[in-house]
Amino acid sequence: MPHRRYLVPVVVVVVLLTAILVAPRLGRSVSDSFNRVSGREDLAVLQREPILAFRLPGVTLFHTTAQPASSGPLGQSPVETMVEQRFSVEGDGPDALAGYEEVVQGQGWQLVGHWCSRYQHQAAVLFTKSNVLRSSLTVRAVLPGGPSSSVPIAVTAPLLTLTITMGIDDEPFYNGLLLPAGDIDCLRAIDPSDPAFQAHPELRRTSEQLCALLTVSAVRNVVPEVTAAVPDEPEADGASACTYEQRPYRATSTVLPIQGRMDSRPWFSVLDAAGNPRVKYEDRRYPAPGTDEGTMLLAFDERQQPPPFGVWVDAPTGPVEVHTTTDGLSEDQLLAVARLLRG
């Protein structure tokens, strides 16, 4: 019969397609089952941590989240095993944080460092513990008045959170973020009437106006390679910037024995900072000698590789930032450009 010649190929195609469609799902199912079992075991380990049962006077538990590890939806990052407690605090948030720090260190946790942000109205103490999968513990104090985006709930009174996570890889729990030097006492210095907390959105400038603040001829006295000031397209939040570039620029390949195409090389950018208060940059300040001249703050962002760094400058027409990268301006050049902007 003529139609029989097609029977085997059709069956083979159907079987192959079924195998192709089912195999990934089967593999994912086995992996998910393993993750669920191991995640529950890790969660049981974390829930036995004595610090979860500790209570300071005046600190009241009002919410607990317990979450086992999971692989997450396809294409998304996996979720770590985590236990989080939220406490209301009667009295002083920094005092409660200091009390927890002393107790935690007596329970076998190693201190990693302190972090404090007057801009976010938060301080934290971070610890780690070596076990089968390295655990991390963060005790964080949050005071009212910070940006709403920095915490998941409305904060109307001092809040304390205690979060323990069990890592699923060998990366440090803080994802490469180098904690700023300091302690938790910056929360005691919050004064909303301080000029450092005031933003000046009425002083916002366009990208073209930012380029007009610093001429290419003036920049070339500091960075001779710069040949153009290019107004950038405004960001989604309306922030503007001007990028100073070298044009033309011949990139050299380190892999192939040929010269790259003619292109431009950005050396640094001047960004409008009128919508942000000075205290936001004080939190990111890099404690290098000779970099604070009253109206300039040098700041590094270690969360990126290589880390970009910049200077906040109180320019005559309103505050600006100067951003570069480690393969762009040197620290001396960055500060020299900042002085030109300061006038």
Side-chain angles (χ1 to χ4, degrees):
M1 298 175 63
H3 63 277
R4 288 184 180 176
R5 74 177 66 179
Y6 302 106
L7 181 59
V8 173
V10 169
V11 171
V12 171
V13 170
V14 171
V15 171
L16 286 176
L17 284 176
T18 303
I20 291 170
L21 293 174
V22 171
R25 295 181 183 177
L26 181 60
R28 228 172 22 243
S29 176
V30 172
S31 175
D32 289 346
S33 298
F34 175 79
N35 286 333
R36 282 195 295 271
V37 172
S38 62
R40 288 195 298 268
E41 292 174 349
D42 293 343
L43 181 59
V45 171
L46 292 188
Q47 289 176 319
R48 290 195 292 269
E49 282 291 339
I51 192 61
L52 294 175
F54 174 73
R55 299 290 183 271
L56 276 176
V59 174
T60 304
L61 177 68
F62 70 86
H63 181 78
T64 299
T65 300
Q67 171 185 281
S70 68
S71 58
L74 187 63
Q76 294 188 17
S77 299
V79 178
E80 293 180 329
T81 300
M82 181 267 289
V83 177
E84 181 176 272
Q85 295 178 328
R86 294 178 186 170
F87 303 88
S88 59
V89 179
E90 296 178 10
D92 189 86
D95 284 347
L97 189 57
Y100 262 91
E101 177 180 1
E102 182 177 350
V103 173
V104 168
Q105 290 190 87
Q107 295 185 358
W109 291 87
Q110 293 79 47
L111 177 67
V112 174
H114 301 89
W115 172 81
C116 200
S117 169
R118 289 204 299 159
Y119 174 66
Q120 295 187 12
H121 290 217
Q122 296 186 44
V125 188
L126 297 99
F127 305 87
T128 188
K129 177 185 286 188
S130 297
N131 45 29
V132 177
L133 292 173
R134 178 166 38 187
S135 297
S136 63
L137 186 152
T138 302
V139 187
R140 186 184 306 268
V142 185
L143 301 186
S148 58
S149 59
S150 63
V151 287
I153 61 174
V155 179
T156 58
L159 172 72
L160 195 75
T161 66
L162 187 152
T163 306
I164 305 179
T165 59
M166 185 171 285
I168 58 177
D169 55 32
D170 294 330
E171 289 296 316
F173 70 89
Y174 46 87
N175 295 323
L177 174 63
L178 302 179
L179 303 176
D183 55 33
I184 59 176
D185 284 338
C186 84
L187 293 190
R188 305 183 195 278
I190 292 179
D191 178 8
S193 64
D194 185 336
F197 283 85
Q198 311 306 312
H200 304 281
E202 72 280 359
L203 299 178
R204 281 194 179 276
R205 289 138 297 185
T206 65
S207 297
E208 289 77 12
Q209 289 173 324
L210 289 175
C211 287
L213 296 178
L214 196 57
T215 65
V216 171
S217 59
V219 171
R220 286 176 63 84
N221 292 324
V222 179
V223 192
E225 296 86 352
V226 169
T227 58
V230 182
D232 294 354
E233 291 293 328
E235 299 290 338
D237 60 358
S240 53
C242 177
T243 299
Y244 288 80
E245 301 180 346
Q246 177 180 349
R247 294 185 174 186
Y249 173 71
R250 183 180 292 276
T252 302
S253 172
T254 58
V255 179
L256 301 174
I258 58 174
Q259 294 293 315
R261 63 184 178 87
M262 301 294 286
D263 205 345
S264 62
R265 173 184 174 177
W267 281 87
F268 67 91
S269 295
V270 177
L271 292 77
D272 184 54
N276 297 318
R278 172 190 171 102
V279 69
K280 182 176 182 178
Y281 305 96
E282 291 179 346
D283 285 343
R284 294 154 43 198
R285 182 172 171 182
Y286 178 75
T291 57
D292 182 12
E293 301 182 19
T295 57
M296 301 195 312
L297 295 170
L298 184 67
F300 281 69
D301 185 355
E302 292 90 350
R303 290 168 296 183
Q304 301 184 40
Q305 295 295 332
F309 63 105
V311 177
W312 178 91
V313 187
D314 190 7
T317 60
V320 296
E321 297 177 59
V322 185
H323 281 194
T324 187
T325 59
T326 51
D327 59 352
L329 302 185
S330 68
E331 186 174 311
D332 289 341
Q333 287 176 317
L334 183 63
L335 291 172
V337 168
R339 292 187 187 98
L340 292 174
L341 285 163
R342 187 177 57 179

